[in-house]
Amino acid sequence: MALIVQKYGGTSVGSTERIRNVAKRVARFHREGHQLVVVVSAMSGETNRLLGLAREITENPDPRELDVVAATGEQVTIGLLAIALHGLGLKARSYTGAQLRILTDSAFTKARIVEIDDQRMRKDLADGTIVVVAGFQGVDRHGNITTLGRGGSDTSGVALAAALKADECQIYTDVDGVYTTDPRIVPEARRLDRITFEEMLELASQGSKVLQIRSVEFAGKYMVPLRVLSSFEDVDSPSPGTLITYEEDEAMEQAIISGIAFNRDEAKVSVMGVPDRPGIAYAILGPIAAANIDVDMIVQNIGASGHTDFSFTVNRNEYQKAMGVLESQRGTSFEAREIIGDNRIAKVSVVGIGMRSHVGLASRMFKTLADEGINIQMISTSEIKIAVVIDEKYLELAVRVLHKAFELDKGALGPTA
Ligand code: ASP
Ligand code: MG
């Protein structure tokens, strides 16, 4: 008997029929003798609808009240799923985040989980009851309802699995695992049987939307055994999905590159002709950080005649704000000849644990792009990732040729070889 936490995303509970289907899947695991905690998202589109209602009333709704509204989506699906489980003759009880005392900080709309009280869940599990929990939400120490940020149900699932020391946390979604890249762009993309936690972290932060990045960080911190699977497959013959592992085992020895991620959500800002002096990076990025704008890639050119150019990328929806901050600081925090921006860029990243022990991968990437005449605007690397910024209009082409160049379609360099 195992203790399993299952998380079902919005499309998996997108209609009452789909909810019945989830109930059948849960029932199957229950019949096999497992204890189950099931975390659900709101029905797909529902959170957007709820947030939209608030914005119909005012442009800038109070974050505390926004969370009160947004959290209702999940309250509906937990009740419906519990009812569906009862219909199959099973014992089930639904709980909101507040009822379970999923304690968070008070950062409304992006709260962090601080502590989870597992007593209530343990009592239910011990008497054979399936525990159904609302994802995406918690409660702060003053009793205010909080939400964890968009896509936050993944983090709820992982956090509950960590708190309960579950044997496995299964994230059910509308794809059957983690792929070498988005199959909508490259039909030859393959599902990976396993992927290391570090690779998953890179893929999630580079734009692969399979798991919310915070949930991956959380899983790593507590080493939660995590599996991504599809809820759209036959209940009785499920595919194994993709397992996220914490060690590089033998099966992964050949894995050099495991995937290609991309992100269209970024924009580039360049501050041209700034004095090349100590403190200039801080003078430019300090105000950006103070305005709560996240910066991703940063490039500073080698200066000539006492001046240099400084570029960085931000989330596309913070582009205008970043440009505004820089314009307002120009002349006080720093001098600059020109501030220019481009919000039609895209980032493409090649990710693989094998990069640590293989050379020449960056040059293969750059040659592949050069052969297609794709100009690289920025480059950043980590031990297991090479990312480039290119013109958005070449994004799909870049992903396709890189997938081919690294033979991800064949699996020759992949973990599932
Ligand atoms: N319902 C929330 C959202 O749409 C949380 C989630 O689905 O994970 O962002
Ligand atoms: Mg999701």
Side-chain angles (χ1 to χ4, degrees):
M1 182 190 76
L3 199 172
I4 300 172
V5 173
Q6 299 187 332
K7 179 262 169 176
Y8 291 91
T11 48
S12 301
V13 294
S15 64
T16 48
E17 198 201 323
R18 300 273 341 139
I19 290 174
R20 279 214 199 95
N21 217 289
V22 167
K24 276 190 210 146
R25 194 174 298 274
V26 174
R28 204 196 113 230
F29 281 89
H30 190 264
R31 266 201 311 276
E32 288 173 2
H34 303 302
Q35 295 187 321
L36 286 150
V37 173
V38 185
V39 179
V40 288
S41 293
M43 295 167 100
S44 59
E46 182 62 10
T47 307
N48 284 342
R49 189 185 72 85
L50 292 166
L51 296 174
L53 288 177
R55 299 229 154 80
E56 272 176 30
I57 296 176
T58 165
E59 280 256 323
N60 262 323
D62 179 70
R64 179 189 183 277
E65 305 311 331
L66 206 52
D67 278 356
V68 170
V69 175
T72 60
E74 273 73 9
Q75 186 167 340
V76 171
T77 44
I78 53 170
L80 292 175
L81 179 58
I83 291 168
L85 288 165
H86 297 161
L88 298 177
L90 297 166
K91 287 196 283 186
R93 294 190 73 172
S94 68
Y95 295 101
T96 64
Q99 285 176 312
L100 266 195
R101 260 173 275 133
I102 297 180
L103 190 71
T104 71
D105 61 20
S106 304
F108 298 112
T109 75
K110 47 175 188 254
R112 285 186 181 265
I113 296 175
V114 181
E115 199 182 282
I116 296 178
D117 178 2
D118 64 349
Q119 288 313 309
R120 198 156 190 180
M121 288 186 281
R122 296 237 181 249
K123 243 176 88 203
D124 279 347
L125 292 172
D127 84 349
T129 299
I130 295 163
V131 178
V132 182
V133 183
F136 178 55
Q137 57 179 263
V139 64
D140 74 4
R141 72 180 76 252
H142 310 292
N144 298 305
I145 292 171
T146 56
T147 69
L148 310 178
R150 299 307 305 270
S153 299
D154 289 343
T155 299
S156 306
V158 172
L160 285 165
L164 290 159
K165 301 191 176 56
D167 296 287
E168 189 162 289
C169 179
Q170 303 176 342
I171 307 274
Y172 285 90
T173 175
D174 49 4
V175 292
D176 64 347
V178 180
Y179 275 67
T180 49
T181 197
D182 188 340
R184 282 169 299 190
I185 292 187
V186 185
E188 296 79 26
R190 291 174 312 109
R191 180 178 59 78
L192 299 162
D193 288 336
R194 353 172 30 121
I195 186 166
T196 66
F197 154 73
E198 287 162 294
E199 289 170 317
M200 193 62 227
L201 195 59
E202 285 288 2
L203 288 178
S205 65
Q206 300 306 313
S208 152
K209 301 276 188 295
V210 184
L211 287 176
Q212 194 210 30
I213 176 144
R214 237 195 227 182
S215 71
V216 184
E217 289 166 359
F218 213 107
K221 189 163 168 198
Y222 297 97
M223 305 256 268
V224 175
L226 199 59
R227 194 184 284 280
V228 177
L229 324 100
S230 166
S231 71
F232 285 75
E233 293 186 355
D234 184 1
V235 174
D236 295 310
S237 55
S239 112
T242 301
L243 180 70
I244 287 116
T245 63
Y246 296 91
E247 64 217 53
E248 294 163 51
D249 57 20
E250 266 159 45
M252 306 199 73
E253 216 153 63
Q254 299 165 281
I256 297 174
I257 300 299
S258 58
I260 303 197
F262 54 87
N263 189 349
R264 305 174 208 257
D265 300 336
E266 294 200 24
K268 184 174 78 167
V269 177
S270 299
V271 188
M272 315 294 284
V274 294
D276 193 8
R277 60 165 167 86
I280 191 67
Y282 178 65
I284 294 171
L285 293 178
I288 294 288
N292 236 321
I293 300 172
D294 272 334
V295 170
D296 181 21
M297 283 195 210
I298 304 171
V299 172
Q300 186 187 327
N301 291 336
I302 294 181
S305 60
H307 286 80
T308 185
D309 302 331
F310 194 94
S311 298
F312 58 94
T313 62
V314 296
N315 200 294
R316 202 173 279 188
N317 58 31
E318 295 188 310
Y319 170 64
Q320 295 300 346
K321 191 171 161 197
M323 290 296 275
V325 168
L326 291 176
E327 284 299 353
S328 72
Q329 294 295 319
R330 181 181 182 182
T332 50
S333 298
F334 59 87
E335 304 294 331
R337 189 180 70 243
E338 197 182 6
I339 298 173
I340 51 178
D342 183 356
N343 63 359
R344 312 214 66 105
I345 57 154
K347 186 169 76 171
V348 182
S349 313
V350 169
V351 174
I353 206 98
M355 277 187 201
R356 282 188 187 141
S357 48
H358 289 77
V359 293
L361 297 167
S363 66
R364 191 185 320 182
M365 180 180 195
F366 302 154
K367 178 173 190 313
T368 304
L369 296 174
D371 286 349
E372 299 296 329
I374 300 172
N375 185 41
I376 298 171
Q377 303 179 18
M378 295 170 104
I379 300 170
S380 87
T381 63
S382 79
E383 256 197 305
I384 65 165
K385 171 207 75 185
I386 310 161
V388 298
V389 165
I390 59 172
D391 188 325
E392 178 185 62
K393 69 173 182 262
Y394 298 121
L395 174 62
E396 301 201 352
L397 174 63
V399 172
R400 244 180 276 128
V401 293
L402 288 170
H403 197 269
K404 194 144 198 263
F406 286 103
E407 298 181 31
L408 288 168
D409 47 341
K410 296 188 190 135
L413 297 172
T416 49

